[in-house]
Amino acid sequence: MQIPYTVEPRPDTGLYNAKLGVWLFLASEVMLFGALFSALILLRTGATSWPHGYEVLNVPLATINTMVLITSSVSMVMSWAALRLGDFGKYRKWMGLTFLLGLIFMVIKTIEYAAKFEHHLYPSHDNFMATYFTLTGLHGLHVLGGMIVIAYLLGPGSKMWMTEPERYTNRVEVIGLYWHFVDLVWIFLFPTLYLL
Amino acid sequence: MSGHSVEEIRRETRVYILVFVALAVLTLVTVGVSYLHLSFGAAVGLALFIASIKGSLVAAFFMHLISERRLVYAVLILTMIFFVALILLPLGGYHDRLG
Amino acid sequence: MSASEEQAVGAQDHAAEHHELPFWQRYIFSQDHKVIGLQYAFTALCFLLFGFCLMLIMRWQLAFPGRPVPIIGGLLGSANAPGGIMLPEFYNQLGAMHGTIMVFLAVVPLLVGAYGNYLVPLQIGAPDMAFPKLNMASYWCYLPGGLIMLASFFVPGGAANSGWTSYPPLSNIATSGQTWWLVGMIFLITSSLLGSVNFIVTIFQLRAEGLDFMRLPMFVWSQLVTSFLLLLAFPPLEAAGILQLMDRVAGTSFFMPSGLVVSGEVLEVAGGGNPLLWQHLFWFLAHPEVYVLILPAMGIVAEIIANNTRKPLWGYRPMVYSAVFLGFMSFIVWAHHMFLTGMGTAISSFFQTTTMIISVPSVVILSALLISLWGGSIRFNTPMLFALAFLPMFGIGGLTGLPLGLAPSDIHLHDTYYVIGHFHYVVAPGTIFAIFAGIYYWFPKITGRQMSERLGKLHFWPSLIFMNGIFMPMFVQGLAGVSRRLYDGGAQYSHAQGVLHWNAFMSMSAFGLLVAQIPFIINLFVSIRWGVKVGSNPWDATTLEWVAAPSPPVAHGNFPELPVVTRGPYEYSPPESDESFLPQNAVA
C-alpha cells in the first residue's frame, strides 16, 4: 500500500510529507545552533578577556565567504524556479553553480583554518578560538552535508526527473530549504565571530 | 506551490535577485560598521539588527516563509519560544547568582 | 520510499501474489514499522534486563560492602573487582551506566521506538510511517549507539563513571570511557531525532479519513507531544556533547574553569570555561526527557483503563490539553535541578514557580484516570492490574517531587536517596509497569495469541511488592541525609547509621524483583508459540489497531483497506446503542 502525500500536499495541512519533515528537522537545528550560541554568549559574558573577532580572524576572507554563500542561496532558488518552469537544462546549471559555490566556501574555510594552524592557533588556545573552530566547523559540516545531497540530486538522483518530475521538484525544494538555513546560520555566525 | 503560473515564477525570480542585492549591500554595511569601532553594546546591537534583517530576508523569500502554511508557522513559533528560553534563562542564571 | 512504492505497485498489479522480500530486508534492514518496532522492543528489553543487572551488582555492594560479589564476582575482571570485591571506581561505572542504559537505551526506546513505532500508524489508520527509510535508519543509529555504550566497559579505565548526568569538570578529566559515552550519545540523539521527525509527520499527515485531532487515542497524543519534546530538547544536549567532546579531544575549555587543581596539580588548560553551562544544556534536555519517560506511559495506561472499565475516559479533552501544556512547560523548569549551584533568588523563584505550575497538568491527568474508574465494570486482567498499579505508584513519585521543586526543601534533599526514590517511583513502578501493561495488552495484536493470565498475575503481585520494598526505604534514608553516590551505602557516616539497616532490605527486594521477572520471561516466550489463539479484537476494544486490522496486521500496509473514522476513540457502553462498544470506524 502506498504512503499518501509523498508528492501532493495533504488538504488540511497543505504540505507534503517531506516538506513538513524538513521544517521539523530545521526546527531541531535551530535548537542545536541556539544552544551553541547560548554557550557562546554565556562564555563571553563570563570571560575576563575576550578578543574582538576582527583582531584575530581574517575579516576580508570571511566577507568573501559570506558573499559566496549568499550567492549560492540565490542560485539554489533559481534552480528550483527553473525546475518549476520545466527547464531541466537551466536547473542543472544553477544547481551545479550552487555546488561549486559550496565547494569554494569550503576551500576558503580550509585556507582560513590553515592560516590559524600556521600561527599555532588551535581550539585549545583560548575559549574564543574554541568557539570559533567548533561553530564554524559544525557549520562547515552542514555545508558539506548539503553538497553531498546536491551531488546526489545532480547525479544518480536526477533519474527521478524522468519518472516523477513533481516529486523531484519537491526534493529540490526541500534541499533548498536546508541550504538556505545553513546560509542563515552563517549570516548570524559571521558578525558574532568575526565582527564583534 | 509548484502549481504557480509561469508569470508568477518569473516575478519570484526578480524578487530573488532584489533580495540578493539587499543581502550583499547589508553584508558590506555590517562589515563597514565594524571598522568604526563603536562601543561594544552599540556594535552588538547594530550587528545583530543587520543580521536579523538579512536572516528575515532569507527566511521570508528564499525559504518562502512569507506565504507558508499555518502548521509550519506553528512549529517555528514554538521553536522560537524555546530558543529564546534557551538563550535568556542561562544568562539570567549567570547574572542572578549568590556570592 | 521507492522500495515501498514498488511494493505498492506490485500489490496492485498482482493482488493475489504475495511479494516476498529476502530475509535480511524483512527482518534485519526492514522498513516496515511493525518489524522496526519489534526490533526496538527486543533490543530495549535486553538493555532493560542488562541495566537491571548492573543495579543488582550495585545493590549487593550497598547491602554488603566489601564482601565478594557472589556467582558473577569472578567475571567482573581483576581491574574492576579483584577477588570479586568491587572497587569504588567500578561502582561509579555501574552507577553511570545504569542510569544511561535505563533512560536512553531501555525505557525511551521501549516507549517511543517500540510502542510508538508499532502502534501509532495502526492507531491512526496509516499504511506505515511517513518515512520508512528514516525509520530504519533510526533503529540502525540506536543499535550502534547502544553497542558503543556496552563496548566502553572494556576500554582502559572502563566505562563512563561520572554519573548519567556527566557533570564537568569531573567528566572532562574522567577516563576514556567518557569519550565513548559521548560518541554513543551522539548516535542515540541522531536516532531519536530521526524518529521524532517521522512521528510528527506521520501523525499530522497520515491520519485516516475522519480521524481529526479530538478523535485521536490518548496514546497517539502522548506520542505527538513526546516527539516534540525529543525534537526540540535533544539538540541542546547534542551541542553540549559536542562541546564536551571538544574539551576531551581537542583540549578546549568550554567547561573548564580557570585554575582548576586536580590531585594537587594545576591543569594545563586555557580555562575560562563554565561548568554550569553543561548543567543548563544537559537539563534543558533531561527535564523534558522526564516527560518523555512518563507521557507515553500515561497514554498506554489511558488506553487500557478505558478498555477495561468499559466506559469512555473521564475528561478526554482536559487530558489532551494537559498533555500538551505539560509538554510546553517541561521546557522551562529545568533549573530546579540546579538550586544548589548558587542561583539567585529571582531566577530560582522563576523556576520554582514554573515547577509548581507543571505539577497541575500531571495531577489533572492522574485525576482523570482515577475518576475514569468510577462506576465502571472493571475487568481485572493482567494489563489492567499493571495499569491500576501505575496510578498510585506514579502518584507517590509525583507528590514526592514537590519538595524537590522548592528550593528550601531541595537544599536538604538534593542528591540524597530521597531523589533516587522519587524519580524511581515515577519511572520504575510507574513507567515500567505501564510498559508491562502494554506488553500484556498488545501481545495478542502482535502474535494473534494471548499471554497466560495466571503467569501474568504471578508476575504482577510480587513485582508490586518488591518494587515498593526497594524504593520506599529510599525516602527514609534520603530524609536522614544519606547521599546518593556513596560506594558503601553510607557506612562511614554517623548520620546514616540509624537507617543503614534498610540497605540489606532494599537489596533483598531487588533480588526478589529479579526472581519475580522469571514468570514474565517464561510467559513471553512460551506464549509466542503456545499461547491461546484469539480473534483480531480479544479485548473488545474500539481503536483502529484492533477493529480495522487483523491480528497480526498485514505486513507492509497494515490494513486490508484504509479505514474511515466516524467517531471518538472510547465509545464504550454507548447509551444510544445496544452494542457494548462502538469501533472508531463503525458505520454511523
Side-chain angles (χ1 to χ4, degrees):
Chain A
M1 205 177 293
Q2 194 163 354
I3 293 161
Y5 310 117
T6 46
V7 182
E8 79 286 10
R10 182 181 162 111
D12 60 352
T13 59
L15 301 164
Y16 55 89
N17 295 344
K19 188 158 167 186
L20 179 56
V22 80
W23 272 114
L24 290 166
F25 171 67
L26 294 183
S28 87
E29 291 279 272
V30 167
M31 296 308 282
L32 176 68
F33 282 101
L36 292 169
F37 274 109
S38 180
L40 169 65
I41 296 168
L42 204 62
L43 288 172
R44 184 160 190 174
T45 315
T48 43
S49 72
W50 191 277
H52 289 290
Y54 47 77
E55 291 163 358
V56 192
L57 303 175
N58 191 332
V59 175
L61 215 50
T63 312
I64 293 171
N65 240 356
T66 310
M67 292 298 190
V68 168
L69 216 50
I70 291 171
T71 316
S72 81
S73 253
V74 183
S75 62
M76 179 60 96
V77 275
M78 292 310 246
S79 78
W80 183 52
L83 209 53
R84 286 193 299 160
L85 291 171
D87 191 340
F88 191 73
K90 215 173 188 180
Y91 153 77
R92 281 188 68 127
K93 280 185 199 128
W94 282 117
M95 200 56 140
L97 179 64
T98 312
F99 182 85
L100 194 67
L101 289 165
L103 194 66
I104 293 173
F105 180 88
M106 292 306 284
V107 169
I108 294 181
K109 199 87 253 166
T110 313
I111 294 170
E112 221 184 296
Y113 274 21
K116 295 288 160 298
F117 293 150
E118 237 168 69
H119 293 91
H120 299 288
L121 288 173
Y122 296 105
S124 55
H125 182 259
D126 62 7
N127 267 343
F128 174 75
M129 289 320 283
T131 36
Y132 162 74
F133 277 111
T134 310
L135 266 71
T136 56
L138 197 65
H139 177 265
L141 281 180
H142 278 79
V143 174
L144 206 62
M147 283 168 62
I148 291 170
V149 179
I150 291 173
Y152 171 77
L153 285 178
L154 280 174
S158 65
K159 273 181 290 188
M160 190 188 264
W161 173 251
M162 309 307 284
T163 52
E164 297 172 275
E166 263 198 68
R167 191 159 170 210
Y168 187 72
T169 315
N170 286 349
R171 286 194 168 180
V172 171
E173 183 186 10
V174 164
I175 177 64
L177 288 171
Y178 169 82
W179 192 258
H180 302 312
F181 175 79
V182 175
D183 183 21
L184 206 152
V185 170
W186 181 257
I187 284 175
F188 282 93
L189 272 184
F190 172 58
T192 35
L193 287 176
Y194 290 82
L195 303 181
L196 291 176
Chain B
M1 240 126 295
S2 41
H4 283 188
S5 66
V6 175
E7 294 83 66
E8 272 178 82
I9 295 172
R10 292 252 157 80
R11 200 174 62 234
E12 277 173 31
T13 53
R14 281 196 294 276
V15 174
Y16 295 151
I17 302 294
L18 286 178
V19 171
F20 169 64
V21 172
L23 289 174
V25 170
L26 285 171
T27 303
L28 295 178
V29 170
T30 192
V31 173
V33 167
S34 77
Y35 284 99
L36 296 178
H37 297 298
L38 298 172
S39 74
F40 185 66
V44 170
L46 201 58
L48 286 185
F49 179 66
I50 294 172
S52 303
I53 295 176
K54 287 168 70 182
S56 310
L57 286 174
V58 171
F61 295 103
F62 290 171
M63 301 169 93
H64 40 88
L65 267 185
I66 198 150
S67 60
E68 199 38 274
R69 303 293 165 167
R70 288 222 322 263
L71 183 56
V72 173
Y73 291 139
V75 168
L76 291 181
I77 289 169
L78 189 70
T79 310
M80 284 327 283
I81 294 171
F82 297 143
F83 175 83
V84 170
L86 181 59
I87 299 280
L88 289 187
L89 288 176
L91 206 57
Y94 177 79
H95 284 291
D96 178 32
R97 61 187 198 274
L98 304 172
Chain C
M1 269 168 283
S2 59
S4 58
E5 243 162 44
E6 274 164 31
Q7 273 154 31
V9 175
Q12 280 157 10
D13 285 353
H14 356 257
E17 190 186 320
H18 193 61
H19 183 64
E20 280 287 321
L21 289 166
F23 176 82
W24 62 274
Q25 271 188 340
R26 237 183 325 159
Y27 296 113
I28 299 170
F29 293 106
S30 172
Q31 296 180 22
D32 185 316
H33 73 100
K34 297 181 291 296
V35 178
I36 297 171
L38 293 176
Q39 286 176 328
Y40 262 113
F42 181 73
T43 318
L45 280 173
C46 290
F47 276 120
L48 188 71
L49 187 63
F50 183 71
F52 181 48
C53 290
L54 295 186
M55 185 274 274
L56 288 178
I57 306 173
M58 291 166 76
R59 281 260 43 122
W60 173 268
Q61 164 67 18
L62 290 172
F64 312 107
R67 294 243 294 268
V69 180
I71 308 168
I72 57 158
L75 303 173
L76 299 176
S78 57
N80 297 322
I85 300 168
M86 187 188 300
L87 294 175
E89 290 80 2
F90 185 54
Y91 180 85
N92 284 342
Q93 289 177 37
L94 293 177
M97 294 311 284
H98 167 72
T100 306
I101 286 172
M102 284 310 208
V103 173
F104 296 112
L105 289 168
V107 175
V108 173
L110 273 171
L111 290 175
V112 181
Y115 280 102
N117 247 319
Y118 200 95
L119 292 172
V120 166
L122 284 169
Q123 287 198 327
I124 64 170
D128 204 314
M129 295 286 273
F131 307 115
K133 275 184 193 152
L134 282 191
N135 205 9
M136 178 181 81
S138 164
Y139 176 77
W140 287 104
C141 284
Y142 159 68
L143 187 65
L147 294 178
I148 288 170
M149 291 285 184
L150 289 186
S152 72
F153 275 106
F154 301 101
V155 302
N161 47 25
S162 313
W164 83 286
T165 54
S166 285
Y167 277 5
L170 184 65
S171 57
N172 270 9
I173 56 173
T175 49
S176 62
Q178 182 64 24
T179 307
W180 288 65
W181 187 89
L182 289 165
V183 174
M185 281 308 291
I186 287 172
F187 272 92
L188 296 176
I189 294 170
T190 310
S191 155
S192 179
L193 176 70
L194 295 175
S196 54
V197 168
N198 214 342
F199 278 111
I200 299 172
V201 175
T202 305
I203 295 172
F204 273 107
Q205 295 283 100
L206 303 192
R207 273 171 295 123
E209 195 186 329
L211 186 62
D212 56 41
F213 274 94
M214 282 303 149
R215 282 176 175 173
L216 284 182
M218 267 315 285
F219 179 76
V220 178
W221 265 111
S222 70
Q223 289 288 335
L224 182 62
V225 176
T226 299
S227 298
F228 269 104
L229 300 186
L230 290 173
L231 182 78
L232 298 178
F234 247 136
L237 181 64
E238 185 161 31
I242 292 168
L243 296 182
Q244 196 177 96
L245 211 54
M246 287 294 285
D247 273 6
R248 292 183 54 90
V249 177
T252 57
S253 303
F254 289 113
F255 304 123
M256 297 296 255
S258 303
L260 192 66
V261 178
V262 176
S263 314
E265 280 177 47
V266 179
L267 288 185
E268 281 187 34
V269 291
N274 187 344
L276 289 186
L277 172 63
W278 170 271
Q279 295 196 22
H280 278 297
L281 297 179
F282 179 84
W283 289 113
F284 189 89
L285 159 83
H287 201 79
E289 182 84 0
V290 172
Y291 293 92
V292 171
L293 295 169
I294 200 67
L295 273 170
M298 287 170 165
I300 293 171
V301 168
E303 298 296 310
I304 293 170
I305 285 187
N307 176 255
N308 286 306
T309 53
R310 313 303 299 159
K311 61 197 271 290
L313 279 181
W314 189 89
Y316 168 80
R317 273 172 186 264
M319 280 174 79
V320 168
Y321 299 146
S322 297
V324 173
F325 183 62
L326 197 69
F328 181 84
M329 288 302 289
S330 72
F331 280 92
I332 47 172
V333 297
W334 79 83
H336 64 214
H337 295 271
M338 299 166 59
F339 286 140
L340 261 72
T341 59
M343 274 197 298
T345 46
I347 198 83
S348 101
S349 304
F350 173 83
F351 282 108
Q352 289 177 71
T353 312
T354 53
T355 305
M356 289 304 115
I357 292 172
I358 204 174
S359 63
V360 176
S362 322
V363 172
V364 170
I365 293 177
L366 197 61
S367 307
L369 289 172
L370 210 56
I371 299 170
S372 295
L373 302 175
W374 186 264
S377 46
I378 299 174
R379 300 190 299 207
F380 288 100
N381 47 34
T382 310
M384 187 59 171
L385 288 176
F386 275 105
L388 287 175
F390 169 89
L391 301 178
M393 295 298 108
F394 173 69
I396 294 172
L399 291 173
T400 51
L402 292 176
L404 298 171
L406 295 167
S409 40
D410 182 60
I411 287 168
H412 177 66
L413 297 171
H414 185 88
D415 259 358
T416 64
Y417 265 100
Y418 183 91
V419 180
I420 306 276
H422 152 67
F423 70 74
H424 277 87
Y425 259 99
V426 176
V427 181
T431 300
I432 292 179
F433 271 16
I435 287 172
F436 283 136
I439 291 175
Y440 286 100
Y441 184 66
W442 278 293
F443 189 85
K445 179 78 253 164
I446 297 164
T447 60
R449 291 170 189 272
Q450 203 142 17
M451 287 174 80
S452 154
E453 275 291 308
R454 188 172 301 177
L455 283 173
K457 280 166 184 153
L458 198 61
H459 174 212
F460 170 73
W461 288 107
S463 293
L464 180 66
I465 293 164
F466 288 129
M467 279 280 189
N468 284 284
I470 301 169
F471 299 117
M472 194 62 88
M474 288 190 180
F475 293 125
V476 180
Q477 287 199 333
L479 286 166
V482 181
S483 164
R484 66 190 277 192
R485 299 195 197 274
L486 298 175
Y487 154 71
D488 58 1
Q492 34 177 310
Y493 288 90
S494 58
H495 69 261
Q497 297 308 315
V499 291
L500 216 54
H501 60 278
W502 283 109
N503 274 333
F505 178 84
M506 289 190 281
S507 296
M508 286 310 177
S509 301
F511 298 124
L513 187 61
L514 177 69
V515 175
Q517 303 317 302
I518 292 171
F520 168 71
I521 294 169
I522 292 173
N523 200 352
L524 191 67
F525 287 104
V526 168
S527 302
I528 289 174
R529 203 74 206 254
W530 293 286
V532 181
K533 275 197 174 170
V534 288
S536 66
N537 189 5
W539 309 110
D540 289 340
T542 49
T543 41
L544 288 181
E545 85 272 31
W546 297 107
V547 294
S551 305
V554 191
H556 290 285
N558 291 338
F559 301 95
E561 55 188 288
L562 287 183
V564 177
V565 174
T566 55
R567 57 192 71 241
Y570 306 115
E571 304 217 348
Y572 290 104
S573 315
E576 74 276 11
S577 164
D578 296 336
E579 303 289 328
S580 73
F581 66 101
L582 286 174
Q584 278 202 278
N585 62 347
V587 185

